[in-house]
Amino acid sequence: MKLLLTGSSGWLGRFLAPKLSAVGHEVVGLDIAAGDHTNIIGSVADRPLIDQIFGDHGIEAVLHAGALHKPDIARYPANAFVDVNVTGTLNLLEAAVRAGHNRFIFTSTTSLMISETVRAGRAGGAEQAFWLDEEFGPLKPRNIYGVTKISAEHLCRLYHQLHGINVAVLRTGRFFPEDDDTLAIPSGPNLKANEFLNRRLTVEDAADAHIAALDAMDGLGFETFILSAPTPFVREDCAYLIADAPSVITRYFPQAAALYKQKGWVLPDHIDRIYDAGKAERLLGFRAQTDFARILDALAQDRPLPFHHDPSYIPPKETP
């Protein structure tokens, strides 16, 4: 199948493009920055360019992973987020409908689910961790990134309703390689390891989820999926996780505290949100391969950690 992959030079794109090619797809990569898997330099906000790509390359389906992200808030004005994240998505949907496509994959974000109330967690008086699945709401994004991504999701829903195109919205948890831009303690790898309990997945798993969605699109309709490593917790744990996360973690993973101590790491003292990725497993047959148990196994066996950590990573579009 001839696929248009937007964001092909980005962190996800550089893993997703070769995986798509490996299973037999012909990938046309579009990005504003050059990259190994990018054929066309340009923006999704450029409607004439999108129309030209569809006409010249016979595109049969779209995987729309290109976007401005949360760290870009410090670099770009609000209207740039609207242009790329909203207008760009509209351009692709209109082109896909006009071309008669029956599948469209939109890479969204769990960030749009995090209101100021959720973000405040225990500090804001929450008495239990928030259990975040696809039914969680009302959604009140706290920044321009979240607002534009939820607006793009609404466009996807509308175009399914109007034109019947199958759409999978993939709300990905964290998979960026760089350090958190708001938290410095615990350290980067320690924080990332902790997040596999409740809100992170590897970039390789994120790429595999897109392929699973592409394969499962026939008759899907419009569906939204949370993507994250499978959490070991259940809803009944939520009150205990906000009060004393280490005791809950130890119940599931008795070896965790000792392994962390050997590494000089710390377990989270509380967990304020849990991403439930069960729907993706039920409807797409996708389950992330890397979870907290695999991280503990790597620590126990003194093997490299099964996720990327690169505090010096700079997105290609920001590289001079």
Side-chain angles (χ1 to χ4, degrees):
M1 183 178 293
K2 292 184 178 179
L3 306 175
L4 175 61
L5 172 62
T6 70
S8 51
S9 297
W11 182 243
L12 174 61
R14 68 177 63 181
F15 289 87
L16 178 53
K19 283 177 175 284
L20 289 167
S21 298
V23 295
H25 296 295
E26 182 179 336
V27 181
V28 177
L30 171 66
D31 203 295
I32 61 171
D36 291 342
H37 307 287
T38 295
N39 310 92
I40 301 166
I41 304 295
S43 172
V44 292
D46 184 344
R47 178 58 183 271
L49 175 61
I50 297 301
D51 291 342
Q52 181 181 347
I53 292 170
F54 272 69
D56 290 350
H57 295 275
I59 300 301
E60 298 175 276
V62 175
L63 292 89
H64 180 25
L68 289 181
H69 298 280
K70 191 258 185 180
D72 291 318
I73 293 173
R75 298 188 281 256
Y76 295 90
N79 66 288
F81 282 81
V82 175
D83 291 343
V84 175
N85 294 356
V86 182
T87 302
T89 303
L90 177 61
N91 289 342
L92 291 164
L93 285 165
E94 289 188 335
V97 166
R98 191 172 60 254
H101 289 186
N102 69 348
R103 61 190 70 195
F104 188 98
I105 295 177
F106 176 58
T107 309
S108 191
T109 173
T110 52
S111 179
L112 63 80
M113 305 173 70
I114 310 305
S115 65
E116 290 295 346
T117 300
V118 174
R119 189 184 190 193
R122 187 171 69 174
E127 296 182 354
Q128 61 180 18
F130 290 91
W131 189 271
L132 304 182
D133 61 13
E134 292 80 3
E135 302 304 315
F136 178 80
L139 301 181
K140 297 179 180 180
R142 68 188 188 278
N143 54 41
I144 190 65
Y145 172 51
V147 167
T148 53
K149 293 298 278 188
I150 197 171
S151 296
E153 286 192 9
H154 288 319
L155 285 172
C156 290
R157 181 181 292 104
L158 176 64
Y159 271 67
H160 162 70
Q161 292 172 344
L162 293 177
H163 304 287
I165 186 172
N166 295 306
V167 180
V169 171
L170 306 183
R171 291 181 183 165
T172 65
R174 293 177 158 204
F175 58 79
F176 55 79
E178 62 265 45
D179 285 329
D180 188 283
D181 60 353
T182 57
L183 296 174
I185 299 175
S187 65
N190 187 170
L191 179 61
K192 284 182 172 65
N194 290 354
E195 289 176 339
F196 277 89
L197 287 162
N198 67 313
R199 63 183 300 195
R200 178 171 282 273
L201 73 167
T202 66
V203 65
E204 292 89 351
D205 279 333
D208 287 341
H210 284 69
I211 295 173
L214 186 66
D215 291 342
M217 289 295 287
D218 285 342
L220 185 68
F222 175 89
E223 294 289 351
T224 301
F225 301 95
I226 290 173
L227 301 182
S228 185
T231 181
F233 307 125
V234 296
R235 288 178 184 266
E236 290 73 21
D237 293 324
C238 287
Y240 304 99
L241 286 168
I242 202 78
D244 182 10
S247 66
V248 184
I249 296 167
T250 299
R251 175 155 45 89
Y252 287 96
F253 304 101
Q255 75 278 36
L259 289 172
Y260 263 48
K261 184 177 181 180
Q262 291 174 7
K263 188 75 173 177
W265 284 4
V266 294
L267 291 168
D269 61 356
H270 72 282
I271 291 176
D272 59 11
R273 71 196 73 163
I274 304 294
Y275 294 158
D276 180 355
K279 182 179 176 182
E281 187 169 357
R282 293 190 301 272
L283 296 190
L284 302 180
F286 169 77
R287 180 182 175 90
Q289 295 300 302
T290 298
D291 57 12
F292 189 68
R294 282 197 60 187
I295 291 167
L296 293 182
D297 185 60
L299 293 178
Q301 301 297 324
D302 196 27
R303 291 186 283 101
L305 294 168
F307 58 82
H308 298 272
H309 175 67
D310 181 2
S312 65
Y313 175 77
I314 299 174
K317 65 183 176 55
E318 306 305 327
T319 303

